Amino acid sequence: MAPTPCALCNTSRALIIRPKNHQKLCKSCFIFLFETEIHNTITTSSIFRAGERIAIGASGGKDSTVLASVLKTLNERHNYGLDLLLLSIDEGIKGYRDDSLETVKRNAVQYDMPLSIVGYDELYGWTMDQVVSQIGKRGNCTYCGVFRRQALDRGAARLGIKHVVTGHNADDVAETVMMNLLRGDLPRLSRATSIMTASAASDIKRSKPLKYAYEKEIVLYAHHKGLDYFSTECIYSPEAFRGSARTLIKNLERVRPSAILDVVKSGEDMARLVPPEVSNPGPSAAGTKDIAVILDGEAEGEGGCGSSNGRASGGEMAVMEQKLRDEETHDGKATQNGDNEIDFTLQGQRHDRHKSTPAAKTSSKAKRLPKQQLQKCGRCGYLSSQTVCKACMLLEGLNKNRPKTQISVSIEEEDNSSTLTRRMEGLTTVSPEGANVT
């Protein structure tokens, strides 16, 4: 059987079948097409302006690593005139974040970008390991999401930067749409689907250049470009509510590969139905009406600490990465000559849309959505719809339950410590009967 030619160049052999549209492409054409689509997203949405300083939210995972690589390439190819640097958040998760930060440090050298790291312990006096030890694994992503958003804003403010880009992809946005639908939160859905968001308190806007890029194509791009990234899931994320929405999205993708972009587009369409005073309750930092304002505590579709690091349901991304490595190792010669096609599309029955039945009669009285008033937190000055922002409220609860004094002495130290012995000998306690005991 003759090899299949690339659908674009018609000269090289096709090695990749795109998950998005089943198009068969060679390696070079896939990389160029992927970068071109990101460029089109950037230009059509007017994300950047010449001379702008941009902080790339870098976690060391595939999404942020691909984002840094693509932005560096496009900045040089199309003369964006951007000053790019990396901004990382250290949540304080041993065995996960400390390892991924080593990857970020290597990326900073590889891409010749300055790197700045901001830690939870420095900003809040807590690490995520300490938070989880206090509250348990259930609900810990709420703390991390709130803290992480403020940490990115505060880190950018320290650097004098007013624009942060994050590696949220189409899968992340589709999951966020589904989560807000399940919650019945239409106002938040409107803000989460925007490609650019702003915070009136911090005067920092955010954007998602990878918003329409499939997670599987990001893995393929990272693999064929030979990028250095960290691919371990956050040890605390399996308990997150996002996992339920992710499983649902992956199941839909198996039936209909275009389901991810369909959900994203549907979310955008529904967002247009939300009144402006509800979706953007206050002036945006950038002063433009097409940038949504994110309220205090909103995750903005963020998969958070491990959003981008092989966290698909059932380890699907990790399996895909391993399959790519095995493909190269097992048949490296055939891959080099272009004999093999790599297909990571999900097979399943295709259900086409049909005309829906006539809608039921709507209620004569439209439901009034609550209007939220933006103000600055009375404690930290961050944007909030309440007098005290969500981060300060969470910290207050944590600090109330934190022990005033912590003593950590090993058995050997206790046995051999003359100071501790003298202190114990001088202590006086009161027995239940009231008699002094020394």
Side-chain angles (χ1 to χ4, degrees):
M1 183 177 177
T4 304
C6 173
L8 290 185
C9 65
N10 288 318
T11 55
S12 301
R13 293 176 178 177
L15 297 177
I16 303 166
I17 301 179
R18 296 190 68 182
K20 183 184 296 184
N21 56 14
H22 295 189
Q23 192 176 28
K24 297 182 179 181
L25 303 171
C26 65
K27 173 182 174 180
S28 299
C29 287
F30 169 75
I31 291 175
F32 180 78
L33 185 60
F34 182 88
E35 294 171 348
T36 301
E37 289 179 352
I38 304 303
H39 170 66
N40 291 337
T41 300
I42 291 172
T43 54
T44 55
S45 301
S46 301
I47 294 179
F48 304 126
R49 53 182 172 80
E52 197 172 14
R53 295 186 68 206
I54 305 296
I56 302 173
S59 66
K62 64 181 183 305
D63 291 338
S64 60
T65 302
V66 166
L67 178 61
S69 176
V70 170
L71 286 185
K72 178 178 175 62
T73 299
L74 296 179
N75 191 34
E76 297 171 352
R77 180 184 300 167
H78 299 286
N79 298 318
Y80 289 166
L82 303 177
D83 182 12
L84 301 172
L85 57 87
L86 302 177
L87 175 60
S88 292
I89 305 301
D90 183 3
E91 300 92 343
I93 305 176
K94 292 183 179 180
Y96 168 68
R97 182 54 74 207
D98 48 356
D99 292 338
S100 68
L101 286 177
E102 293 301 317
T103 303
V104 176
K105 294 175 183 178
R106 294 195 300 270
N107 292 158
V109 175
Q110 294 162 358
Y111 304 143
D112 191 23
M113 294 181 186
L115 169 63
S116 178
I117 301 176
V118 180
Y120 280 9
D121 55 346
E122 172 190 358
L123 294 177
Y124 311 115
W126 289 80
T127 66
M128 277 309 297
D129 283 341
Q130 294 171 333
V131 171
V132 172
S133 67
Q134 178 111 333
I135 69 169
K137 288 188 176 182
R138 295 191 65 86
N140 65 85
C141 286
T142 298
Y143 287 79
C144 193
V146 174
F147 291 165
R148 183 180 179 82
R149 174 166 185 82
Q150 286 203 19
L152 277 173
D153 283 350
R154 297 183 189 280
R158 287 183 183 180
L159 300 171
I161 292 176
K162 296 185 178 181
H163 193 171
V164 177
V165 294
T166 56
H168 298 105
N169 55 49
D171 298 58
D172 295 324
V173 177
E175 292 165 9
T176 303
V177 170
M178 195 62 65
M179 288 170 64
N180 287 310
L181 286 176
L182 294 174
R183 292 189 182 116
D185 195 340
L186 194 59
R188 183 174 293 185
L189 170 66
S190 173
R191 296 185 288 270
T193 53
S194 299
I195 197 168
M196 288 187 289
T197 57
S199 170
S202 62
D203 196 31
I204 295 173
K205 70 175 181 178
R206 299 187 181 202
S207 56
K208 303 184 277 283
L210 302 182
K211 177 183 175 181
Y212 300 110
Y214 271 39
E215 186 177 31
K216 291 182 177 63
E217 295 196 359
I218 290 174
V219 173
L220 287 170
Y221 181 88
H223 172 76
H224 288 294
K225 287 279 289 188
L227 302 183
D228 179 13
Y229 66 93
F230 185 74
S231 57
T232 299
E233 181 180 3
C234 174
I235 59 178
Y236 300 137
S237 66
E239 299 293 333
F241 172 59
R242 177 172 291 272
S244 301
R246 182 178 306 134
T247 300
L248 179 56
I249 291 295
K250 294 302 179 184
N251 289 337
L252 291 173
E253 187 187 10
R254 289 186 178 92
V255 176
R256 182 188 180 94
S258 64
I260 292 177
L261 281 183
D262 291 342
V263 172
V264 173
K265 294 294 185 182
S266 298
E268 293 173 342
D269 292 340
M270 286 185 286
R272 297 188 185 98
L273 303 176
V274 183
E277 63 272 15
V278 176
S279 60
N280 289 313
S284 68
T288 53
K289 61 183 179 180
D290 59 339
I291 301 179
V293 178
I294 295 295
L295 299 179
D296 169 50
E298 291 187 6
E300 193 189 355
E302 195 164 356
C305 44
S307 73
S308 323
N309 304 329
R311 85 281 182 274
S313 177
E316 190 172 348
M317 291 300 104
V319 173
M320 178 178 176
E321 293 164 5
Q322 185 61 46
K323 185 175 181 180
L324 285 167
R325 289 191 292 267
D326 293 344
E327 184 76 21
E328 275 196 346
T329 304
H330 179 69
D331 201 1
K333 183 177 180 181
T335 303
Q336 183 177 0
N337 295 332
D339 290 341
N340 293 342
E341 293 182 0
I342 303 177
D343 184 1
F344 287 104
T345 58
L346 296 174
Q347 302 299 326
Q349 182 181 359
R350 184 181 182 88
H351 295 279
D352 295 326
R353 294 175 176 173
H354 299 281
K355 293 183 179 180
S356 59
T357 57
K361 294 182 179 179
T362 58
S363 175
S364 57
K365 294 183 179 180
K367 182 180 179 181
R368 296 179 61 87
L369 295 173
K371 182 178 180 180
Q372 295 172 300
Q373 298 294 332
L374 299 183
Q375 56 186 314
K376 290 188 177 181
C377 172
R379 298 181 183 178
C380 68
Y382 194 78
L383 177 67
S384 175
S385 57
Q386 305 295 330
T387 305
V388 179
C389 74
K390 192 171 183 179
C392 289
M393 293 175 62
L394 293 174
L395 285 173
E396 181 180 7
L398 289 171
N399 291 328
K400 281 183 177 179
N401 295 321
R402 170 176 267 176
K404 299 298 181 182
T405 305
Q406 294 182 350
I407 301 177
S408 178
V409 182
S410 65
I411 296 177
E412 292 79 7
E413 290 174 333
E414 182 178 347
D415 292 340
N416 299 327
S417 175
S418 58
T419 302
L420 183 62
T421 302
R422 287 195 300 271
R423 288 182 179 179
M424 294 299 294
E425 290 174 348
L427 291 179
T428 301
T429 60
V430 178
S431 67
E433 292 76 11
N436 291 337
V437 180
T438 59

